[in-house]
Amino acid sequence: MVHAQFDNSARQQLAIAAVEAKTRRDVSWQQIADAAGLSVAFVTAAVLGQHALPQQSAQAVAELLGLDDDAVMLLQTIPTRGSLDGSIPTDPTIYRFYEMLQVYGTTLKALVHEQFGDGIISAINFKLDVKKVADPEGGERAVITLDGKYLPTKPF
């Protein structure tokens, strides 16, 4: 049976325990994703409390991290999503994404609507990828791909 959370505190506590176990066992998010058999972005989000994992994946993650049966059960529950509170984020990495949306949010909206019409980009039917590439001017660049299904607004 599928179960859903109505309060994110249990998943937050599990996320804290899972990250501590990840650190103690010195494993990467990619290793956890490989054990789960799913993408690194999805599994990372799930362990951090933003997605439910299928039973087999939840068991594999818990085994790798040394988590108990309660964690396996909780990893399978549909969470109350949203990892940020309503205030402006203070973590510099998260804040930069907030800043990007502040600067480019209306541009993205205008371009999506011009190309697709009235609707939204799904964060449920969605893929995320992060890659490190060389910068031709020196250093490195982050290439972040957000790939969501377009869902048109339907009059009723």
Side-chain angles (χ1 to χ4, degrees), residues 75-90:
L75 283 167
Q76 295 175 74
T77 63
I78 299 167
T80 299
R81 292 180 173 93
S83 59
L84 303 177
D85 61 23
S87 63
I88 295 172
T90 56

Side-chain angles (χ1 to χ4, degrees), residues 101-115:
L101 285 176
Q102 287 291 328
V103 174
Y104 292 103
T106 54
T107 300
L108 290 167
K109 177 181 171 37
L111 294 173
V112 165
H113 291 315
E114 182 174 281
Q115 293 179 36

Side-chain angles (χ1 to χ4, degrees), residues 39-70:
S39 78
V40 67
F42 187 87
V43 172
T44 302
V47 172
L48 295 177
Q50 298 303 304
H51 291 303
L53 287 175
Q55 181 179 10
Q56 188 173 356
S57 297
Q59 288 174 328
V61 167
E63 182 177 323
L64 180 64
L65 296 178
L67 302 173
D68 62 18
D69 288 342
D70 288 341

Side-chain angles (χ1 to χ4, degrees), residues 6 10 17-18 32 35 40 42-43 52 57 81 91 98 115-117 129 154 156:
F6 70 93
I32 297 168
V40 67
F42 187 87
V43 172
S57 297
R81 292 180 173 93
D91 176 84
Y98 177 81
Q115 293 179 36
F116 293 91
D129 190 41
K154 294 183 180 181
F156 60 93

